[in-house]
Amino acid sequence: MLEYDEKRNYIRMSVDCELTYKLADASESHSGICTSISGSGVSFIADQSFDPGSAMEVNITPKNAITPPMTAYIEVVRTTKQDSGRYEIAAAIKSIKGH
């Protein structure tokens, strides 16, 4: 059995895969990098900042063929500016779109 020290309901997995993101009411999507995902949340690197509470849609494309792509509706919890000038977006997964 896996053991972990995080005080979370789900284990957070570090990942490094492509994702696209857009605001819920937007038609234009942008590319980013998914950095971690769990059963209840996701974090990714984006070129722009988003306010907490912003509703978004993300499409995560894993690097391996074993894991299928996932589209999720998320709510931004936190945005942190990185040294690179990009932003780390932390968000809660509100629902997952079926394929």
Side-chain angles (χ1 to χ4, degrees), residues 2 5 11-12 20-22 33 39 41 47 51 57 66 70 77 86-89 95:
L2 294 175
D5 291 332
I11 295 173
R12 181 179 13 189
T20 58
Y21 60 91
K22 67 177 187 168
I33 301 293
D47 288 331
D51 293 329
E57 179 181 318
I66 297 169
M70 177 182 81
V77 175
R86 298 183 84 192
Y87 297 88
E88 180 181 27
I89 311 299
S95 67

Side-chain angles (χ1 to χ4, degrees), residues 43-54 56 75-82 85-91:
S43 66
F44 62 96
I45 303 299
D47 288 331
Q48 61 196 91
S49 175
F50 296 97
D51 293 329
S54 296
M56 301 180 76
E75 181 179 330
V76 174
V77 175
R78 176 180 68 255
T79 297
T80 307
K81 188 167 186 176
Q82 305 294 293
R86 298 183 84 192
Y87 297 88
E88 180 181 27
I89 311 299

